[in-house]
Amino acid sequence: MSPQPAARAIVDLDLEGPVISRQLYGHFAEHLGRCIYDGFYVGEDSEIPNEGGIRLDVVEALRRLNIPNLRWPGGCFADEYHWRDGIGPRGSRPSMVNSHWGKVVENNHFGTHDFLALCELLGADPYVNGNVGSGTVREMSDWIEYLTGSKDSPMGRLRTENGREEPWRVPFWGIGNEAWGCGGNLRAEAYADLARQFATYCRDHGDNRLYRIAAGANNDDYAWTETLMKAISSLGSTSEPRGYYQGISVHYYTTSGHWDRKGSATEFDTEQYYRTMIAARRIDQLLAGHSAVMDCYDPGKKVGLVLDEWGTWWDVAPGTNPGFLHQQNTLRDALVASVHFDVFHRRADRLVMANIAQTVNVLQAMLLTDEDRLVLTPTYHVFEMNKGHQDAASLAVHLRTSGTSVQVGEEELDTLSMSASVKDGTVLFSVTNLDADRPVALTLDLRGGRLAGPAARILTADAPQRHNTVTGTAVEAKPFDALTQTPGGLELELPPHSFVTISGRLVE
Ligand code: AHR
């Protein structure tokens, strides 16, 4: 084995960078598989403790993450969803076939009021994704009035008849989803015109201010982003934040390299592990590319980049419905998340929101449910350990490394990732060692201040394949006391495939 990798991280504690929006820790919940039904919602008659049908164990676990926002009802489902089918007495709501996801019958028992109740229980901002693909401008406009209009408006009266007099606050609004694919198979120019048209009728009612998000690119389709930027910059609306749309999304999923052969969530070799990490680290290049395009039209960074969907996508768990996208979640998934967050923190000047797909039982979930039992996945712990970065000022980390890389075929993977922030006098460092076999010796060279009372936590296991089930927990956050304070900062050794957070009080 090659010599032990080592690194020195130089951090100026008094040089604050852009604020890391708490929305970078956002979530996504779609009517897909067991995310809504069985995941969030079990119905009022369930023996599983619930409030209005919403599972209380799920709410309690998610409240510990300080979820800032929740995107709903899709995804691809959003462009087939007709909101009027999900209001009024449950027994009289029409059903539909969920044609994207398993062709199951959707009974619409979880609808608008239930979603807003869920957001209230979670303390999260609602992000509603409207239907452009198969909906109308009027349908979208009415939904917004139903949610946010006064009780005297026609839609407000309908809302009141359904039990809610006061309008809700809905800060985020999606104008369709994946318009290049399941959202209508449109060309960029055609969608850009539609986005302007729909956005025109996405009204601000009362005090509610919508942050409208146009359906953006797939992966590195920079031309799509450019078309959406041109469509608003020609009228000067990038300098007018209340223009047609204030944000543009992008979707990026991590696999071990092949979209058509995604591989098992739990059975993978070291090469597949490293290829996954190469794909995960590509998020940096991708966000840089979209940001560069946006900079050309909007140097003042008034239009936000929104990573609407991100996370790992594996073959579905054996024996489950292929349309339900149910997958296990290992330590590998957790490290994919931790390296994404380092990139998000560094790119917080343009990236205003990121929503992991999806919160419960689907793709890279925080939680897996099995009847009345609940599993916290390794990814859950990364969100929990990192929550102190929400709304903190980012701190630049300068790394001097030796041996912190591995060769994977033609590609080189940098195995050390790190970010830092400060908020209310508390500094938080996040460090990931992706190396499958070797620990890394890390020196934190801190300038512009001292760290008092540093405390660390670690997420690791004896192999990246480890995961949690209803019968056993193999991966969870634990205290990590192998820290040495030095006159210049700290020294520690990160075990292979581990994620560590260190926090301490900033002393001038
Ligand atoms: O998250 C699952 C699906 O992935 C979403 O519905 C869609 O937007 C994307 O293709």
Side-chain angles (χ1 to χ4, degrees):
M1 202 183 294
S2 43
Q4 179 176 358
R8 189 158 65 94
I10 304 155
V11 184
D12 268 305
L13 299 175
D14 61 350
L15 281 186
E16 296 186 2
V19 170
I20 297 165
S21 163
R22 65 180 187 282
Q23 314 295 348
L24 299 186
Y25 284 80
H27 286 258
F28 172 35
E30 180 166 11
H31 287 242
L32 193 178
R34 296 172 51 248
C35 181
I36 297 295
Y37 302 108
D38 277 3
F40 280 110
Y41 184 81
V42 285
E44 284 162 313
D45 298 334
S46 171
E47 286 178 3
I48 297 172
N50 68 83
E51 189 171 319
I54 296 168
R55 281 182 83 130
L56 288 174
D57 55 350
V58 164
V59 167
E60 191 205 325
L62 294 176
R63 280 187 71 90
R64 293 199 292 271
L65 302 185
N66 293 354
I67 289 192
N69 62 274
L70 186 62
R71 175 173 179 248
W72 173 85
C76 294
F77 182 78
D79 280 298
E80 289 197 302
Y81 183 64
H82 299 285
W83 67 272
R84 284 174 184 269
D85 296 348
I87 57 170
R90 286 206 174 83
S92 15
R93 294 184 192 173
S95 306
M96 65 179 281
V97 174
N98 190 335
S99 53
H100 282 291
W101 306 121
K103 304 212 167 13
V104 290
V105 173
E106 159 69 56
N107 61 17
N108 278 305
H109 281 194
F110 185 93
T112 294
H113 290 251
D114 310 285
F115 173 64
L116 275 296
L118 171 62
C119 289
E120 280 174 0
L121 286 172
L122 294 173
D125 283 339
Y127 171 5
V128 177
N129 209 115
N131 178 347
V132 170
S134 69
T136 63
V137 173
R138 178 173 183 180
E139 181 182 11
M140 190 182 288
S141 174
D142 281 353
W143 198 8
I144 294 169
E145 186 179 299
Y146 186 88
L147 286 158
T148 62
S150 84
K151 62 181 193 304
D152 304 318
S153 65
M155 290 299 116
R157 282 204 297 278
L158 182 59
R159 181 185 68 229
T160 306
E161 280 167 28
N162 287 327
R164 169 86 184 197
E165 188 175 291
E166 285 310 305
W168 287 283
R169 194 181 77 87
V170 178
F172 302 110
W173 194 268
I175 307 167
N177 169 75
E178 295 193 351
W180 40 265
C182 64
N185 286 308
L186 297 165
R187 289 168 306 123
E189 290 74 12
Y191 171 70
D193 280 343
L194 274 185
R196 285 168 47 135
Q197 183 191 359
F198 274 74
T200 303
Y201 301 95
C202 291
R203 309 277 191 210
D204 287 337
H205 297 282
D207 296 337
N208 195 67
R209 292 288 169 273
L210 289 177
Y211 188 91
R212 305 175 195 85
I213 298 165
N218 186 27
N219 297 335
D220 58 357
D221 184 353
Y222 303 122
W224 185 280
T225 299
E226 179 157 29
T227 303
L228 290 185
M229 288 304 294
K230 272 188 192 161
I232 48 176
S233 59
S234 59
L235 292 182
S237 57
T238 54
S239 58
E240 165 44 67
R242 304 306 314 155
Y244 298 120
Y245 38 88
Q246 292 73 49
I248 295 179
S249 69
V250 55
H251 291 182
Y252 179 70
Y253 284 97
T254 296
T255 69
S256 59
H258 305 276
W259 188 247
D260 42 359
R261 280 182 287 127
K262 299 186 184 74
S264 159
T266 53
E267 287 167 31
F268 50 89
D269 59 21
T270 302
E271 176 167 347
Q272 286 167 314
Y273 165 77
Y274 281 142
R275 290 211 179 276
T276 303
M277 296 308 164
I278 288 172
R281 296 204 74 156
R282 208 165 279 144
I283 187 66
D284 193 23
Q285 186 185 324
L286 193 93
L287 295 180
H290 288 287
S291 302
V293 170
M294 293 173 82
D295 284 349
C296 297
Y297 295 87
D298 172 33
K301 301 192 194 301
K302 292 204 165 66
V303 181
L305 182 59
V306 173
L307 183 59
D308 241 351
E309 294 181 20
W310 69 276
T312 55
W313 194 320
W314 310 120
D315 293 346
V316 297
T320 63
N321 186 326
F324 280 16
L325 309 187
H326 179 72
Q327 64 189 42
Q328 247 299 354
N329 189 298
T330 66
L331 177 60
R332 171 176 66 165
D333 295 78
L335 302 182
V336 165
S338 65
V339 300
H340 271 73
F341 281 127
D342 291 336
V343 174
F344 296 172
H345 300 160
R346 280 197 294 277
R347 301 207 167 273
D349 58 342
R350 176 68 82 176
L351 189 69
V352 297
M353 182 191 280
N355 306 313
I356 187 138
Q358 301 191 4
T359 322
V360 193
N361 289 335
V362 168
L363 298 176
Q364 190 173 355
M366 307 298 107
L367 304 173
L368 304 176
T369 65
D370 182 355
E371 298 185 343
D372 61 346
R373 290 168 298 183
L374 187 68
V375 174
L376 309 186
T377 64
T379 301
Y380 173 96
H381 292 282
V382 174
F383 275 71
E384 193 277 322
M385 293 165 75
N386 254 7
K387 67 184 176 188
H389 289 300
Q390 294 185 21
D391 289 335
S394 55
L395 295 171
V397 175
H398 303 279
L399 282 172
R400 302 277 174 272
T401 59
S402 152
T404 59
S405 67
V406 290
Q407 197 64 34
V408 191
E410 304 276 278
E411 299 193 76
E412 186 171 277
L413 169 68
D414 188 354
T415 51
L416 185 68
S417 175
M418 183 171 170
S419 62
S421 71
V422 60
K423 183 171 74 175
D424 300 332
T426 298
V427 182
L428 179 60
F429 300 98
S430 296
V431 199
T432 305
N433 179 16
L434 295 176
D435 201 297
D437 306 302
R438 301 174 304 165
V440 59
L442 178 67
T443 300
L444 285 187
D445 181 346
L446 305 180
R447 304 178 183 183
R450 282 188 310 107
L451 205 62
R457 297 167 77 200
I458 188 164
L459 188 74
T460 191
D462 61 353
Q465 291 81 0
R466 295 291 173 258
H467 54 275
N468 303 332
T469 67
V470 288
T471 54
T473 299
V475 192
E476 63 184 339
K478 298 201 168 126
F480 183 60
D481 54 15
L483 287 183
T484 309
Q485 241 180 321
T486 63
L490 287 173
E491 287 177 357
L492 64 152
E493 186 177 275
L494 281 98
H497 46 75
S498 68
F499 172 60
V500 169
T501 54
I502 308 155
S503 64
R505 267 182 309 104
L506 174 61
V507 183
E508 305 294 324

